[in-house]
Structure formats: structure tokens, C-alpha cells
């Protein structure tokens, strides 16, 4: 996959297409969050994770783990709190 090839921008475009066609595919939403994280787009990933958690409570725990990572790395990089 593009994600595994570290082509995160391209992977996000693909996830967006899948989400558009299959809006109930929670894994595509989550994978997009992961790709945003890998691109150091922490604010965007954090915002999107909150949306994903609300839409798909069944993956809330998995989202919380990624959310925690995003917040920790963002704070280390910026020495501030969102």
C-alpha cells in the first residue's frame, strides 16, 4: 500500500476517495489519521481523530491511543498545550 511505502500524501488521497465511496469504512478514517500523524500534521490528525471517535465509537479506544501519541509528540515539538 502507499502507506507502507511511506507515501502518506498519496495514501491520504486514496483514503479520501474510499471514505467518499464508503462512508461507513471506519478503517479508512483511522488510516487517514495515521497518515496525518506520519506527516507530522498533528493538529489536523487530532481534530480528525475527535470526529472519527464521534462517528465510530467502536474504534474509540484505538483512536485514543493515536490521539495520545499525537498530543505527546505535538507538545514535545512545540512545548505548548493545544
Amino acid at each position: 500500500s502507499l502507506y507502507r511505502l511511506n507515501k502518506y500524501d498519496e495514501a491520504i488521497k486514496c483514503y479520501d476517495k474510499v471514505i467518499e465511496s464508503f462512508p461507513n469504512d471506519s478503517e479508512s478514517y483511522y488510516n487517514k489519521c495515521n497518515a496525518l500523524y506520519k506527516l507530522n500534521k498533528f493538529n489536523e490528525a487530532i481534530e480528525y481523530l475527535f470526529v472519527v471517535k464521534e462517528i465510530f465509537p467502536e474504534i474509540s479506544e484505538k483512536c485514543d491511543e493515536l490521539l495520545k501519541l499525537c498530543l505527546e509528540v505535538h507538545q514535545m515539538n512545540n512545548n505548548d498545550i493545544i
Side-chain angles (χ1 to χ4, degrees), residues 1-3 6-7 42 57 64 68:
S1 73
L2 293 167
Y3 181 90
N6 300 328
K7 296 183 178 186
F42 303 114
D64 284 341
K68 182 180 176 187

Side-chain angles (χ1 to χ4, degrees), residues 41-54:
K41 295 183 177 183
F42 303 114
N43 286 337
E44 194 173 341
I46 290 165
E47 289 175 20
Y48 204 68
L49 280 162
F50 280 113
V51 172
V52 174
K53 283 171 44 98
E54 189 172 312

Side-chain angles (χ1 to χ4, degrees), residues 8-50:
Y8 305 118
D9 284 316
E10 293 173 45
I12 289 170
K13 291 176 187 173
C14 288
Y15 295 136
D16 284 338
K17 288 179 183 178
V18 173
I19 290 166
E20 187 177 318
S21 298
F22 304 97
N24 293 325
D25 181 19
S26 62
E27 286 303 309
S28 291
Y29 287 85
Y30 179 77
N31 291 339
K32 178 179 177 177
C33 293
N34 260 319
L36 290 167
Y37 170 79
K38 292 289 191 175
L39 289 169
N40 296 326
K41 295 183 177 183
F42 303 114
N43 286 337
E44 194 173 341
I46 290 165
E47 289 175 20
Y48 204 68
L49 280 162
F50 280 113

